[in-house]
Amino acid sequence: MKGLSELQNIGLTKGEVKIYEALLELGETTRTELAKKSGISPSKIYDVANRLLEKGIITSVKKNGIIHFSPADPSRINDYLDKKEEELLEDKKSVKELLPMLLSKYNNTKEKSDVEVFYGWEGLRTAYDDIIKTLESGDEGYVFGASLGQNSKQADLFFSQYYEKVKRAGFKVKIIFNEDVRGNNDRTKYYTISKKHEVRYLHQETLAEVNIYDNTVLLVLLLKNPLVIRISSKEAYDSYKKYFDSLWKQAKK
């Protein structure tokens, strides 16, 4: 059976739950008795109780100059949640109105930042998702140094999911795998069976993969905990693209 501590999940603090629970057991009571029962310091009772009063979960009345607190009908908790829901909808509306301005500021900042670093598999996903968001059908991306990685099973899973996104996006890829990847169907099958993409292999031992697309370069270290450096620069793009073209001539089908 769930206890009253579950009320913390709807926004009540631990202290508020203690006072509410004490009032349910005591009924109408004073600050002194409430402090004894709840374990909340008498000096803090009014602050915590006032928050519950604002939520409509308890009530108060002054008798002979002394404030008495009582629990409100528990169904008032639903009223409190309804009010929170209304406030959340208003907040969402406000954020929606602010979003164009926030995105504009974010994009301006992003344009000034030439280099970004991403860590771990989630960071890798974030970096590769940018390729999916950026390239469209008819566009082309270039990759060299594609390796098995230090954690090949995790990498196989990651890239199988990424390939599905590439397929839906519809852009073309020219990719140079390391020679030792040639026999790994999990990693190469998507590109080799598609007439849209071009695949070659090169004898090199490196965990550093390079993705080149839309004036952007991703330097990817497929370590057990991947590291990605994203460079947004036309000069970097042009330089790495020339290097790719040179490697493409050396690579074998």
Side-chain angles (χ1 to χ4, degrees):
M1 182 177 178
K2 294 183 177 181
L4 290 184
S5 60
E6 292 291 320
L7 292 175
Q8 292 182 60
N9 295 333
I10 65 169
L12 270 65
T13 66
K14 188 175 181 180
E16 289 170 351
V17 172
K18 285 183 176 181
I19 285 183
Y20 183 59
E21 186 173 17
L23 286 173
L24 287 174
E25 294 182 19
L26 294 173
E28 183 179 308
T29 190
T30 62
R31 179 186 71 167
T32 302
E33 294 303 316
L34 186 54
K36 290 179 182 178
K37 185 67 176 178
S38 66
I40 302 295
S41 169
S43 63
K44 296 181 179 179
I45 286 291
Y46 285 135
D47 287 339
V48 180
N50 282 336
R51 295 201 298 268
L52 289 171
L53 287 168
E54 290 175 0
K55 292 179 172 73
I57 295 174
I58 69 172
T59 62
S60 68
V61 63
K62 184 177 285 189
K63 295 181 178 180
N64 298 322
I66 299 175
I67 295 178
H68 290 65
F69 298 102
S70 300
D73 185 326
S75 63
R76 292 295 302 276
I77 294 175
N78 283 328
D79 296 335
Y80 163 67
L81 290 175
D82 289 341
K83 183 179 179 182
K84 279 191 68 175
E85 187 174 2
E86 290 175 3
E87 291 173 349
L88 180 59
L89 289 174
E90 285 297 318
D91 289 342
K92 284 185 175 181
K93 182 179 178 181
S94 297
V95 170
K96 187 175 182 180
E97 293 173 352
L98 282 171
L99 202 54
M101 182 268 289
L102 295 174
L103 285 171
S104 176
K105 288 182 176 293
Y106 169 75
N107 288 330
N108 287 338
T109 302
K110 187 178 179 183
E111 288 172 4
K112 296 174 185 176
S113 178
D114 292 328
V115 179
E116 296 176 271
V117 180
F118 304 87
Y119 299 95
W121 292 100
E122 283 306 311
L124 187 70
R125 191 181 312 280
T126 298
Y128 274 77
D129 279 350
D130 183 66
I131 302 175
I132 301 300
K133 294 175 183 176
T134 302
L135 297 183
E136 301 176 348
S137 179
D139 292 336
E140 191 168 44
Y142 311 93
V143 183
F144 66 87
S147 71
L148 293 174
Q150 285 187 342
N151 187 342
S152 60
K153 289 185 178 180
Q154 182 70 31
D156 285 346
L157 176 61
F158 174 86
F159 282 106
S160 66
Q161 295 170 347
Y162 172 69
Y163 296 158
E164 287 300 316
K165 297 177 183 178
V166 173
K167 185 177 180 180
R168 290 194 295 269
F171 58 85
K172 178 181 177 180
V173 178
K174 293 177 71 173
I175 184 168
I176 303 174
F177 286 104
N178 290 355
E179 184 62 42
D180 62 357
V181 184
R182 186 185 287 271
N184 187 312
N185 287 331
D186 288 334
R187 196 69 62 85
T188 62
K189 183 178 179 181
Y190 169 72
Y191 290 122
T192 55
I193 65 175
S194 173
K195 295 181 180 180
K196 177 180 293 186
H197 308 298
E198 296 183 61
V199 177
R200 293 189 181 181
Y201 300 87
L202 190 64
H203 283 284
Q204 54 182 352
E205 295 181 5
T206 176
L207 295 174
E209 175 177 312
V210 179
N211 277 263
I212 310 162
Y213 67 100
D214 192 47
N215 292 334
T216 303
V217 177
L218 286 188
L219 306 178
V220 183
L221 291 176
L222 275 181
L223 308 173
K224 289 182 179 179
N225 193 36
L227 171 66
V228 184
I229 301 172
R230 182 167 67 195
I231 305 171
S232 301
S233 163
K234 187 177 186 308
E235 290 79 8
Y237 172 88
D238 290 341
S239 177
Y240 274 94
K241 178 58 168 59
K242 287 180 181 178
Y243 187 39
F244 172 87
D245 291 339
S246 175
L247 293 177
W248 187 256
K249 293 176 182 178
Q250 301 174 43
K252 306 297 182 182
K253 293 184 178 180

